[in-house]
Amino acid sequence: MRVLYKAKRVLTCAGCASVLLFIAYFTPTSIRYLEGLIPMNRCHLAPGEKLKLGNSIDASLDLWSRGDVQTCTDWGAPVIWDGMFDPDHYDQEHRRNHSSVSLTVFAVGRYLDAYLEAFLLSAERHFMVALPVTYYVFTDVPERVPSIQLGPGRSLKVVRVQRHSRWQDISMMRMRAIADAIESQIRLYSRYIFCFDVDQVFVGRFGSEALGDSVALLHAYYYHRPQSLYTYDRNPRSRAYMETGDFYYHAAVFGGSWQNVKNMTETCYQTIMEDKENQVEALWHDESHLNKYLWLHKPSRVLSPEYCWSSNIGYRGDMHVTRLLWAKKKYDTLRITEEVACIRSPTAKEPLLQMHDGGTRSSFRFSKIGSATVVPKVFTLTMCTHHWAVSGSIISCGLNTFWQWARWCQTDLS
């Protein structure tokens, strides 16, 4: 019996240890490390063969210097990795061709104070340092844009934009703003344009090797994953709907010639607005629409995740350098754009929605049909908490995380 009892204890301890090891091993970091072991596809060209790109600059690309990663696409575009190019050669050729670059970045609401200065200072050190650059800062508070000492041939312009109540709308509406800025200003001064999210920091060369007619970026979290795990929009009602694709691209960085970026942003804006008319919102907002566009209009150049990396992913053997890093995300504070309350006062015949933000207040009324309260579709709220006040029922809610059509005003307002 004692032997049997000891055996049971040993088996129990072994089982517990196995469970603990399993949990410890399959943490998100461990899973991402295992993902990195999944091999990428390889360039389809024969060893030593060059891409036929029709320009002298890219003829120097050494596709076979990186046997560990995919260096070209099925349609013959290069995928740019460290070790494939001579940075001095690229800079010299682009200076000879008088290339110039515009950089667009959106810093709306709290994002300006949290990220913009660090983004611009790091760009001055690392972004296209051999070429003339014009920064276009889109913001709702131009007076708060920091003063940055710029190098020779570099300038900064501020474009005022409307602030939207939801961060998703800010993200999607940038497509229209970029297209308008290209038409009114950028096309007159720059041959190329790159569009960036502001919550990033340059940490290494982001140079002229990245320039091309149409430039897309491999998403750092997806480039080793099988295509079945790509988060394309799977809703057939959305214009961003995709059954399959080539890669999963990250909307934090995209670019190209001003003509191609103008067409890209105008098309994405059009499909976003068509979705809005049909009361549909793509899974990843403008990124879903961008992926659909780049599937239908193949990019002429693809940037590796070196050009936008997240340190949360951990070690990857194929990442020899990092050029742009995700800044620390502060979604819990930055993406709560308003405090919202639905209030029924003792004297009001209709519920009143009040939105508070930085001391400002906007009020909207809803109507009732039967026992249900009809909420305007612009208010999409989740994760509500209930509170009470002497004057009437109050339900407050932050605009955060993923959204759904609000139904929370129905409670206690009959």
Side-chain angles (χ1 to χ4, degrees), residues 118-166:
F119 176 88
L120 292 174
L121 288 173
S122 66
E124 274 298 281
R125 290 191 293 269
H126 300 294
F127 180 75
M128 305 289 171
V129 294
L131 301 177
V133 171
T134 303
Y135 301 103
Y136 287 84
V137 177
F138 295 77
T139 182
D140 57 328
V141 281
E143 66 277 5
R144 297 225 308 265
V145 173
S147 178
I148 303 294
Q149 184 174 355
L150 303 175
R154 300 168 83 88
S155 59
L156 186 148
K157 298 184 179 182
V158 179
V159 181
R160 182 185 288 274
V161 293
Q162 177 186 356
R163 182 178 181 184
H164 297 273
S165 60
R166 300 191 310 130

Short mmCIF file of all heavy atoms in Angstrom, two decimals, residues 118-166:
data_model
loop_
_atom_site.label_atom_id
_atom_site.label_comp_id
_atom_site.label_asym_id
_atom_site.label_seq_id
_atom_site.Cartn_x
_atom_site.Cartn_y
_atom_site.Cartn_z
N ALA A 118 9.08 62.39 -30.07
CA ALA A 118 10.04 61.28 -30.19
C ALA A 118 10.09 60.76 -31.62
O ALA A 118 11.16 60.42 -32.15
CB ALA A 118 9.69 60.16 -29.22
N PHE A 119 8.94 60.70 -32.28
CA PHE A 119 8.89 60.23 -33.67
C PHE A 119 9.70 61.16 -34.57
O PHE A 119 10.54 60.70 -35.36
CB PHE A 119 7.44 60.16 -34.13
CG PHE A 119 7.28 59.79 -35.58
CD1 PHE A 119 7.21 58.46 -35.96
CD2 PHE A 119 7.21 60.77 -36.57
CE1 PHE A 119 7.07 58.11 -37.30
CE2 PHE A 119 7.08 60.43 -37.90
CZ PHE A 119 7.01 59.10 -38.27
N LEU A 120 9.48 62.45 -34.46
CA LEU A 120 10.17 63.41 -35.34
C LEU A 120 11.67 63.46 -35.06
O LEU A 120 12.48 63.51 -36.00
CB LEU A 120 9.55 64.79 -35.18
CG LEU A 120 8.11 64.95 -35.71
CD1 LEU A 120 7.57 66.32 -35.35
CD2 LEU A 120 8.04 64.73 -37.22
N LEU A 121 12.05 63.46 -33.80
CA LEU A 121 13.48 63.50 -33.46
C LEU A 121 14.20 62.27 -34.01
O LEU A 121 15.31 62.38 -34.54
CB LEU A 121 13.66 63.60 -31.95
CG LEU A 121 13.30 64.95 -31.31
CD1 LEU A 121 13.36 64.85 -29.79
CD2 LEU A 121 14.25 66.05 -31.80
N SER A 122 13.58 61.11 -33.88
CA SER A 122 14.22 59.90 -34.39
C SER A 122 14.24 59.88 -35.92
O SER A 122 15.18 59.38 -36.54
CB SER A 122 13.51 58.66 -33.84
OG SER A 122 12.19 58.55 -34.33
N ALA A 123 13.21 60.44 -36.56
CA ALA A 123 13.19 60.53 -38.02
C ALA A 123 14.32 61.40 -38.53
O ALA A 123 14.92 61.11 -39.57
CB ALA A 123 11.84 61.06 -38.49
N GLU A 124 14.62 62.47 -37.82
CA GLU A 124 15.72 63.34 -38.23
C GLU A 124 17.06 62.60 -38.20
O GLU A 124 17.97 62.91 -38.97
CB GLU A 124 15.79 64.57 -37.32
CG GLU A 124 14.90 65.70 -37.76
CD GLU A 124 15.30 66.22 -39.13
OE1 GLU A 124 16.28 67.00 -39.23
OE2 GLU A 124 14.66 65.85 -40.13
N ARG A 125 17.18 61.63 -37.34
CA ARG A 125 18.44 60.87 -37.23
C ARG A 125 18.53 59.73 -38.24
O ARG A 125 19.64 59.35 -38.63
CB ARG A 125 18.60 60.31 -35.81
CG ARG A 125 18.86 61.37 -34.75
CD ARG A 125 19.27 60.73 -33.43
NE ARG A 125 18.19 59.98 -32.83
CZ ARG A 125 17.31 60.49 -31.96
NH1 ARG A 125 17.38 61.77 -31.62
NH2 ARG A 125 16.36 59.74 -31.45
N HIS A 126 17.37 59.18 -38.65
CA HIS A 126 17.43 57.92 -39.39
C HIS A 126 16.65 57.87 -40.69
O HIS A 126 16.90 56.98 -41.52
CB HIS A 126 16.94 56.78 -38.49
CG HIS A 126 17.73 56.59 -37.23
ND1 HIS A 126 19.04 56.18 -37.24
CD2 HIS A 126 17.39 56.78 -35.93
CE1 HIS A 126 19.48 56.09 -35.99
NE2 HIS A 126 18.51 56.46 -35.19
N PHE A 127 15.67 58.75 -40.92
CA PHE A 127 14.79 58.60 -42.08
C PHE A 127 15.32 59.39 -43.28
O PHE A 127 15.41 60.62 -43.24
CB PHE A 127 13.37 59.06 -41.75
CG PHE A 127 12.41 58.94 -42.91
CD1 PHE A 127 11.92 57.70 -43.29
CD2 PHE A 127 12.01 60.06 -43.62
CE1 PHE A 127 11.05 57.59 -44.37
CE2 PHE A 127 11.14 59.95 -44.70
CZ PHE A 127 10.66 58.70 -45.06
N MET A 128 15.71 58.68 -44.33
CA MET A 128 16.12 59.28 -45.60
C MET A 128 17.09 60.44 -45.39
O MET A 128 16.94 61.51 -45.99
CB MET A 128 14.88 59.77 -46.37
CG MET A 128 13.82 58.72 -46.61
SD MET A 128 14.33 57.48 -47.82
CE MET A 128 13.01 56.26 -47.65
N VAL A 129 18.11 60.22 -44.59
CA VAL A 129 19.00 61.32 -44.21
C VAL A 129 19.80 61.87 -45.39
O VAL A 129 20.31 62.99 -45.33
CB VAL A 129 19.97 60.86 -43.09
CG1 VAL A 129 19.20 60.57 -41.81
CG2 VAL A 129 20.77 59.63 -43.52
N ALA A 130 19.89 61.13 -46.48
CA ALA A 130 20.65 61.59 -47.64
C ALA A 130 19.81 62.40 -48.62
O ALA A 130 20.35 62.92 -49.61
CB ALA A 130 21.27 60.39 -48.37
N LEU A 131 18.50 62.53 -48.35
CA LEU A 131 17.60 63.14 -49.32
C LEU A 131 16.80 64.28 -48.70
O LEU A 131 16.61 64.34 -47.49
CB LEU A 131 16.62 62.08 -49.86
CG LEU A 131 17.24 60.87 -50.56
CD1 LEU A 131 16.15 59.89 -50.96
CD2 LEU A 131 18.06 61.29 -51.77
N PRO A 132 16.27 65.18 -49.54
CA PRO A 132 15.35 66.21 -49.03
C PRO A 132 14.06 65.56 -48.54
O PRO A 132 13.50 64.68 -49.20
CB PRO A 132 15.08 67.08 -50.26
CG PRO A 132 16.18 66.78 -51.22
CD PRO A 132 16.57 65.36 -50.98
N VAL A 133 13.60 65.99 -47.37
CA VAL A 133 12.40 65.41 -46.75
C VAL A 133 11.49 66.53 -46.26
O VAL A 133 11.96 67.50 -45.64
CB VAL A 133 12.77 64.48 -45.57
CG1 VAL A 133 11.52 64.05 -44.80
CG2 VAL A 133 13.52 63.25 -46.07
N THR A 134 10.21 66.39 -46.51
CA THR A 134 9.20 67.29 -45.94
C THR A 134 8.27 66.47 -45.06
O THR A 134 7.67 65.49 -45.53
CB THR A 134 8.39 67.99 -47.05
OG1 THR A 134 9.28 68.69 -47.92
CG2 THR A 134 7.40 68.97 -46.43
N TYR A 135 8.16 66.86 -43.80
CA TYR A 135 7.24 66.22 -42.87
C TYR A 135 5.88 66.91 -42.97
O TYR A 135 5.80 68.14 -42.91
CB TYR A 135 7.74 66.31 -41.43
CG TYR A 135 9.09 65.69 -41.18
CD1 TYR A 135 10.23 66.48 -41.05
CD2 TYR A 135 9.23 64.32 -41.04
CE1 TYR A 135 11.48 65.92 -40.80
CE2 TYR A 135 10.47 63.74 -40.79
CZ TYR A 135 11.59 64.55 -40.68
OH TYR A 135 12.82 63.99 -40.44
N TYR A 136 4.84 66.12 -43.07
CA TYR A 136 3.47 66.63 -43.01
C TYR A 136 2.82 66.06 -41.74
O TYR A 136 2.55 64.86 -41.67
CB TYR A 136 2.67 66.25 -44.24
CG TYR A 136 3.08 67.01 -45.48
CD1 TYR A 136 4.17 66.61 -46.25
CD2 TYR A 136 2.39 68.17 -45.87
CE1 TYR A 136 4.55 67.32 -47.38
CE2 TYR A 136 2.78 68.89 -46.99
CZ TYR A 136 3.85 68.46 -47.75
OH TYR A 136 4.24 69.17 -48.85
N VAL A 137 2.59 66.92 -40.77
CA VAL A 137 1.98 66.51 -39.51
C VAL A 137 0.50 66.87 -39.56
O VAL A 137 0.14 68.05 -39.63
CB VAL A 137 2.65 67.18 -38.30
CG1 VAL A 137 1.94 66.79 -37.01
CG2 VAL A 137 4.13 66.78 -38.24
N PHE A 138 -0.36 65.87 -39.51
CA PHE A 138 -1.80 66.08 -39.51
C PHE A 138 -2.28 66.03 -38.05
O PHE A 138 -2.07 65.03 -37.35
CB PHE A 138 -2.50 64.99 -40.32
CG PHE A 138 -2.18 65.00 -41.78
CD1 PHE A 138 -0.97 64.50 -42.26
CD2 PHE A 138 -3.08 65.52 -42.70
CE1 PHE A 138 -0.67 64.51 -43.61
CE2 PHE A 138 -2.79 65.53 -44.06
CZ PHE A 138 -1.59 65.03 -44.52
N THR A 139 -2.92 67.09 -37.60
CA THR A 139 -3.33 67.16 -36.21
C THR A 139 -4.54 68.07 -36.03
O THR A 139 -4.80 68.94 -36.89
CB THR A 139 -2.17 67.67 -35.32
OG1 THR A 139 -2.59 67.68 -33.96
CG2 THR A 139 -1.74 69.07 -35.74
N ASP A 140 -5.24 67.87 -34.95
CA ASP A 140 -6.36 68.75 -34.61
C ASP A 140 -5.93 69.90 -33.71
O ASP A 140 -6.72 70.80 -33.42
CB ASP A 140 -7.48 67.95 -33.93
CG ASP A 140 -6.99 67.24 -32.67
OD1 ASP A 140 -5.80 66.84 -32.63
OD2 ASP A 140 -7.79 67.07 -31.73
N VAL A 141 -4.68 69.88 -33.25
CA VAL A 141 -4.17 70.93 -32.37
C VAL A 141 -2.81 71.42 -32.90
O VAL A 141 -1.76 71.12 -32.33
CB VAL A 141 -4.05 70.45 -30.91
CG1 VAL A 141 -5.39 70.45 -30.21
CG2 VAL A 141 -3.43 69.04 -30.84
N PRO A 142 -2.79 72.17 -34.00
CA PRO A 142 -1.52 72.62 -34.60
C PRO A 142 -0.63 73.39 -33.64
O PRO A 142 0.60 73.31 -33.74
CB PRO A 142 -1.99 73.52 -35.76
CG PRO A 142 -3.36 73.05 -36.09
CD PRO A 142 -3.95 72.62 -34.78
N GLU A 143 -1.23 74.12 -32.71
CA GLU A 143 -0.43 74.93 -31.79
C GLU A 143 0.40 74.08 -30.83
O GLU A 143 1.34 74.59 -30.21
CB GLU A 143 -1.34 75.87 -30.99
CG GLU A 143 -2.31 75.19 -30.03
CD GLU A 143 -3.59 74.69 -30.71
OE1 GLU A 143 -3.69 74.79 -31.97
OE2 GLU A 143 -4.49 74.22 -29.99
N ARG A 144 0.11 72.79 -30.72
CA ARG A 144 0.86 71.92 -29.80
C ARG A 144 1.94 71.11 -30.50
O ARG A 144 2.63 70.31 -29.84
CB ARG A 144 -0.11 70.99 -29.07
CG ARG A 144 -1.13 71.70 -28.20
CD ARG A 144 -1.28 71.04 -26.84
NE ARG A 144 -1.54 69.63 -26.90
CZ ARG A 144 -2.76 69.07 -26.86
NH1 ARG A 144 -3.82 69.84 -26.79
NH2 ARG A 144 -2.91 67.77 -26.90
N VAL A 145 2.11 71.28 -31.79
CA VAL A 145 3.17 70.56 -32.50
C VAL A 145 4.52 71.07 -32.00
O VAL A 145 4.78 72.27 -32.01
CB VAL A 145 3.06 70.76 -34.02
CG1 VAL A 145 4.26 70.15 -34.74
CG2 VAL A 145 1.76 70.14 -34.54
N PRO A 146 5.40 70.17 -31.53
CA PRO A 146 6.68 70.62 -30.97
C PRO A 146 7.59 71.24 -32.02
O PRO A 146 7.54 70.89 -33.21
CB PRO A 146 7.28 69.33 -30.40
CG PRO A 146 6.65 68.23 -31.19
CD PRO A 146 5.26 68.70 -31.49
N SER A 147 8.43 72.14 -31.58
CA SER A 147 9.41 72.77 -32.45
C SER A 147 10.66 71.88 -32.51
O SER A 147 11.30 71.62 -31.49
CB SER A 147 9.78 74.16 -31.93
OG SER A 147 10.77 74.75 -32.74
N ILE A 148 10.97 71.38 -33.70
CA ILE A 148 12.08 70.45 -33.90
C ILE A 148 13.13 71.12 -34.78
O ILE A 148 12.80 71.71 -35.81
CB ILE A 148 11.60 69.15 -34.56
CG1 ILE A 148 10.51 68.48 -33.72
CG2 ILE A 148 12.78 68.19 -34.77
CD1 ILE A 148 10.96 67.99 -32.37
N GLN A 149 14.40 71.04 -34.36
CA GLN A 149 15.48 71.57 -35.19
C GLN A 149 15.73 70.59 -36.34
O GLN A 149 16.11 69.44 -36.13
CB GLN A 149 16.75 71.76 -34.38
CG GLN A 149 17.88 72.41 -35.17
CD GLN A 149 19.08 72.74 -34.31
OE1 GLN A 149 19.05 72.58 -33.10
NE2 GLN A 149 20.15 73.19 -34.94
N LEU A 150 15.51 71.06 -37.56
CA LEU A 150 15.61 70.21 -38.73
C LEU A 150 16.92 70.42 -39.46
O LEU A 150 17.49 71.52 -39.45
CB LEU A 150 14.45 70.50 -39.69
CG LEU A 150 13.04 70.34 -39.11
CD1 LEU A 150 11.99 70.77 -40.12
CD2 LEU A 150 12.79 68.90 -38.66
N GLY A 151 17.40 69.38 -40.14
CA GLY A 151 18.64 69.45 -40.88
C GLY A 151 18.45 70.16 -42.21
O GLY A 151 17.34 70.47 -42.64
N PRO A 152 19.55 70.41 -42.93
CA PRO A 152 19.47 71.06 -44.25
C PRO A 152 18.61 70.26 -45.22
O PRO A 152 18.69 69.02 -45.27
CB PRO A 152 20.94 71.08 -44.70
CG PRO A 152 21.74 70.95 -43.46
CD PRO A 152 20.93 70.10 -42.53
N GLY A 153 17.78 70.96 -45.98
CA GLY A 153 16.94 70.31 -46.97
C GLY A 153 15.72 69.62 -46.39
O GLY A 153 15.05 68.86 -47.10
N ARG A 154 15.43 69.88 -45.12
CA ARG A 154 14.30 69.22 -44.47
C ARG A 154 13.37 70.28 -43.89
O ARG A 154 13.82 71.29 -43.34
CB ARG A 154 14.79 68.24 -43.40
CG ARG A 154 15.70 67.17 -44.01
CD ARG A 154 16.44 66.36 -42.97
NE ARG A 154 15.66 65.29 -42.40
CZ ARG A 154 15.60 64.06 -42.89
NH1 ARG A 154 16.25 63.76 -44.02
NH2 ARG A 154 14.89 63.12 -42.30
N SER A 155 12.08 70.06 -44.04
CA SER A 155 11.09 71.04 -43.59
C SER A 155 9.90 70.33 -42.99
O SER A 155 9.72 69.11 -43.16
CB SER A 155 10.65 71.94 -44.75
OG SER A 155 10.07 71.16 -45.79
N LEU A 156 9.05 71.09 -42.29
CA LEU A 156 7.88 70.52 -41.62
C LEU A 156 6.67 71.40 -41.89
O LEU A 156 6.74 72.63 -41.75
CB LEU A 156 8.12 70.39 -40.12
CG LEU A 156 7.04 69.68 -39.28
CD1 LEU A 156 7.69 68.95 -38.10
CD2 LEU A 156 5.99 70.65 -38.77
N LYS A 157 5.57 70.78 -42.28
CA LYS A 157 4.32 71.49 -42.50
C LYS A 157 3.23 70.84 -41.64
O LYS A 157 3.20 69.62 -41.48
CB LYS A 157 3.92 71.45 -43.97
CG LYS A 157 4.93 72.13 -44.89
CD LYS A 157 4.47 72.16 -46.33
CE LYS A 157 5.49 72.87 -47.21
NZ LYS A 157 5.04 72.96 -48.63
N VAL A 158 2.35 71.68 -41.12
CA VAL A 158 1.28 71.21 -40.25
C VAL A 158 -0.04 71.35 -41.00
O VAL A 158 -0.34 72.39 -41.58
CB VAL A 158 1.23 72.00 -38.94
CG1 VAL A 158 0.07 71.51 -38.06
CG2 VAL A 158 2.56 71.87 -38.19
N VAL A 159 -0.84 70.28 -40.98
CA VAL A 159 -2.14 70.26 -41.65
C VAL A 159 -3.20 70.01 -40.59
O VAL A 159 -3.16 69.00 -39.89
CB VAL A 159 -2.20 69.16 -42.73
CG1 VAL A 159 -3.57 69.18 -43.43
CG2 VAL A 159 -1.07 69.33 -43.74
N ARG A 160 -4.13 70.95 -40.46
CA ARG A 160 -5.20 70.78 -39.48
C ARG A 160 -6.24 69.80 -40.02
O ARG A 160 -6.67 69.87 -41.18
CB ARG A 160 -5.88 72.11 -39.17
CG ARG A 160 -7.00 72.00 -38.12
CD ARG A 160 -7.73 73.30 -37.94
NE ARG A 160 -6.91 74.29 -37.24
CZ ARG A 160 -6.82 74.40 -35.93
NH1 ARG A 160 -7.51 73.56 -35.16
NH2 ARG A 160 -6.06 75.32 -35.38
N VAL A 161 -6.64 68.85 -39.16
CA VAL A 161 -7.68 67.88 -39.52
C VAL A 161 -8.73 67.85 -38.43
O VAL A 161 -8.48 68.25 -37.29
CB VAL A 161 -7.08 66.46 -39.73
CG1 VAL A 161 -6.18 66.42 -40.94
CG2 VAL A 161 -6.35 65.98 -38.48
N GLN A 162 -9.88 67.33 -38.78
CA GLN A 162 -10.97 67.18 -37.83
C GLN A 162 -10.67 66.02 -36.90
O GLN A 162 -10.14 65.00 -37.32
CB GLN A 162 -12.28 66.94 -38.56
CG GLN A 162 -13.48 66.70 -37.66
CD GLN A 162 -14.72 66.32 -38.45
OE1 GLN A 162 -14.69 66.30 -39.69
NE2 GLN A 162 -15.79 66.01 -37.77
N ARG A 163 -11.04 66.18 -35.65
CA ARG A 163 -10.90 65.08 -34.71
C ARG A 163 -12.20 64.30 -34.66
O ARG A 163 -13.28 64.87 -34.46
CB ARG A 163 -10.57 65.60 -33.32
CG ARG A 163 -10.38 64.47 -32.31
CD ARG A 163 -10.00 65.00 -30.95
NE ARG A 163 -9.81 63.92 -30.00
CZ ARG A 163 -9.54 64.09 -28.72
NH1 ARG A 163 -9.42 65.33 -28.24
NH2 ARG A 163 -9.39 63.07 -27.92
N HIS A 164 -12.11 62.99 -34.83
CA HIS A 164 -13.29 62.14 -34.77
C HIS A 164 -13.41 61.52 -33.38
O HIS A 164 -12.43 61.39 -32.64
CB HIS A 164 -13.19 61.03 -35.83
CG HIS A 164 -13.18 61.55 -37.23
ND1 HIS A 164 -14.34 61.78 -37.94
CD2 HIS A 164 -12.15 61.92 -38.04
CE1 HIS A 164 -14.03 62.24 -39.14
NE2 HIS A 164 -12.71 62.33 -39.23
N SER A 165 -14.63 61.14 -33.03
CA SER A 165 -14.88 60.64 -31.67
C SER A 165 -14.26 59.27 -31.44
O SER A 165 -13.89 58.95 -30.31
CB SER A 165 -16.38 60.58 -31.39
OG SER A 165 -17.03 59.72 -32.31
N ARG A 166 -14.14 58.45 -32.49
CA ARG A 166 -13.59 57.11 -32.32
C ARG A 166 -12.22 57.02 -32.98
O ARG A 166 -12.02 57.53 -34.08
CB ARG A 166 -14.51 56.06 -32.95
CG ARG A 166 -15.91 56.00 -32.37
CD ARG A 166 -16.65 54.77 -32.86
NE ARG A 166 -16.57 54.63 -34.31
CZ ARG A 166 -16.20 53.51 -34.92
NH1 ARG A 166 -15.86 52.45 -34.24
NH2 ARG A 166 -16.16 53.46 -36.25
#
